[in-house]
Amino acid sequence: MLIYMAPMEGMSGYVFRRAYHRRFGGIDRYFTPFLANKKLSSRERNDILPEHNEGMELVPQILANRAEDFLAIAKELAAFGYKTVNLNLGCPSGTVVTRGRGAGFLEFPNRMDMFLAELFEKCPLQISVKTRIGKDVPEEWEELQQVYDKYPLEELIIHPRVQRDYYKNTPNMEVFGQAAISCRHSLCYNGDICTPQDYADFTAAFPQIGKVMIGRGIFKNPALIGMIRRQAQATKEELLAFHQDVLEGYLAVLSGDKNTLFKMKEWWVYFAEAFTNAATYSKKIKKAGTVREYQTVVESLFREQELVI
Ligand SMILES: Cc1cc2nc3c(=O)[nH]c(=O)nc-3n(C[C@H](O)[C@H](O)[C@H](O)COP(=O)(O)O)c2cc1C
């Protein structure tokens, strides 16, 4: 089974990915959070620079609904040596959707079809797609799949929720099951694999699917992939060492405590779930105004609490 790390805007940038690869590994493909600027911003550029991603297989992801924008970004990526790019057709966030991008594009299959036709005519790179199953209702999937089936996608990653779900409700395994039977593409499943049991349930239900992508599960439990692949138990020592790598990584590239703390606090929204009695510590982590204060809370959490993963 191939396991991919999901793109997570604000969280799975190169600092996190690099530390992850060094401490845990076991990820077959990483994806960048979406790149959306026709001319890459310096933050986006840093994220895809090959020297920031050594030893990892990385697929940059593009968020666009105009072929011209997509092609401009793809051209920059080609110059860095990338062979494949991923198109984001799943982002549910309001600002993205109202501009008809991400999962907002799914409402317009005809326009999407024309967009893909132009990409496949002009893009020098292979293109994969990460998609939801519709904008409002799962019945939209059939038409969307017909569009995808017209093009030679490198792979199709399906997160079987509609945009309206955001991250609520449960993935629609019925629609994924239909796609698994009828879609012509090499499929990757994505959604709600957060424990080894979730993984076991998925592989038992879909033994023919050879690829899964995991996002929040890794941020809740960074040791998840080892637990899945080697039945290894997570330890506080390895999690703390990884945490320190991520913290130091941010401190080295971001200016000032504030920016680093912002990043770390975003991660703790998920990571706190790995510990007993996390609520009190979470509050203190949120309040921490300096890296020193933050470190003190994190150290006491690791010392005083147990893992529940
Ligand atoms: C904070 C956050 C940021 C995300 N950023 C992206 C993104 O940049 N590109 C993308 O395709 N999906 C993004 N996603 C969606 C995830 O890649 C993934 O599809 C979703 O979380 C479901 O998988 P999971 O249940 O394994 O987390 C994001 C999700 C979250 C929660």
Side-chain angles (χ1 to χ4, degrees):
M1 176 68 88
L2 297 179
I3 302 183
Y4 298 169
M5 182 187 284
M8 301 275 281
E9 216 267 314
M11 297 206 293
S12 73
Y14 77 95
V15 168
F16 187 91
R17 295 194 303 265
R18 208 153 60 166
Y20 194 88
H21 189 65
R22 193 162 90 88
R23 287 281 173 190
F24 293 106
I27 296 283
D28 296 290
R29 257 185 197 188
Y30 294 84
F31 291 72
T32 69
F34 63 74
L35 309 166
N37 289 297
K38 202 170 163 184
K39 170 130 190 51
L40 294 180
S41 67
S42 65
R43 182 185 56 76
E44 290 175 333
R45 207 161 172 277
N46 271 320
D47 202 33
I48 58 97
L49 276 181
E51 56 265 41
H52 288 166
N53 294 283
E54 256 166 5
M56 298 174 231
E57 184 171 327
L58 179 69
V59 177
Q61 184 187 68
I62 300 177
L63 177 76
N65 63 0
R66 296 196 325 161
E68 183 197 332
D69 298 347
F70 185 100
L71 293 166
I73 301 173
K75 195 172 164 198
E76 265 197 77
L77 294 168
F80 284 104
Y82 288 99
K83 303 272 181 276
T84 305
V85 284
N86 178 260
L87 169 65
N88 178 328
L89 290 173
C91 182
S93 101
T95 46
V96 167
V97 168
T98 50
R99 294 167 71 186
R101 300 192 293 179
F105 210 169
L106 303 178
E107 199 177 354
F108 310 105
N110 290 336
R111 248 189 256 169
M112 234 175 70
D113 192 355
M114 287 189 298
F115 171 77
L116 288 172
E118 191 170 348
L119 298 194
F120 278 92
E121 189 195 319
K122 298 180 180 165
C123 184
L125 304 179
Q126 300 190 91
I127 300 168
S128 67
V129 166
K130 178 166 179 282
T131 186
R132 289 197 177 220
I133 55 172
K135 164 77 172 49
D136 296 317
V137 290
E139 288 69 28
E140 292 166 40
W141 175 251
E142 209 177 312
E143 192 178 355
L144 292 171
Q145 186 181 311
Q146 279 169 14
V147 174
Y148 294 138
D149 276 349
K150 287 171 73 174
Y151 300 96
L153 306 182
E154 192 262 341
E155 65 185 355
L156 180 60
I157 302 158
I158 302 180
H159 177 200
R161 283 188 166 93
V162 293
Q163 180 273 332
R164 260 198 198 176
D165 289 331
Y166 284 83
Y167 297 98
K168 295 189 301 281
N169 305 324
T170 48
N172 188 323
M173 300 315 282
E174 203 178 307
V175 169
F176 183 78
Q178 284 164 17
I181 294 167
S182 59
C183 184
R184 68 175 267 217
H185 296 298
S186 170
L187 294 189
C188 171
Y189 171 80
N190 167 239
D192 294 26
I193 295 184
C194 291
T195 63
Q197 189 60 50
D198 294 336
Y199 174 84
D201 291 346
F202 175 78
T203 50
F206 293 98
Q208 76 278 34
I209 300 293
K211 301 183 277 194
V212 296
M213 171 182 268
I214 304 183
R216 291 165 299 171
I218 292 175
F219 287 81
K220 288 176 187 169
N221 172 13
L224 178 63
I225 308 305
M227 292 169 74
I228 287 174
R229 289 209 191 272
R230 304 186 303 277
Q231 285 81 46
Q233 273 310 306
T235 67
K236 284 204 245 177
E237 289 71 26
E238 67 176 346
L239 291 177
L240 183 59
F242 172 60
H243 170 274
Q244 292 307 112
D245 281 1
V246 176
L247 177 65
E248 281 160 27
Y250 283 132
L251 284 171
V253 301
L254 299 175
S255 56
D257 279 17
K258 208 172 142 224
N259 291 326
T260 294
L261 286 176
F262 183 80
K263 289 283 186 196
M264 298 307 288
K265 288 176 188 184
E266 274 193 292
W267 177 19
W268 276 103
V269 171
Y270 299 91
F271 197 19
E273 289 183 34
F275 297 87
T276 50
N277 301 312
T280 10
Y281 299 86
S282 284
K283 259 190 224 147
K284 287 186 195 160
I285 286 173
K286 253 193 220 154
K287 276 198 201 144
T290 63
V291 169
R292 186 183 281 243
E293 271 169 43
Y294 166 84
Q295 278 274 56
T296 308
V297 187
V298 170
E299 278 161 21
S300 60
L301 169 61
F302 272 93
R303 198 173 49 245
E304 293 157 13
Q305 299 300 325
E306 297 309 322
L307 294 176
V308 288
I309 48 182

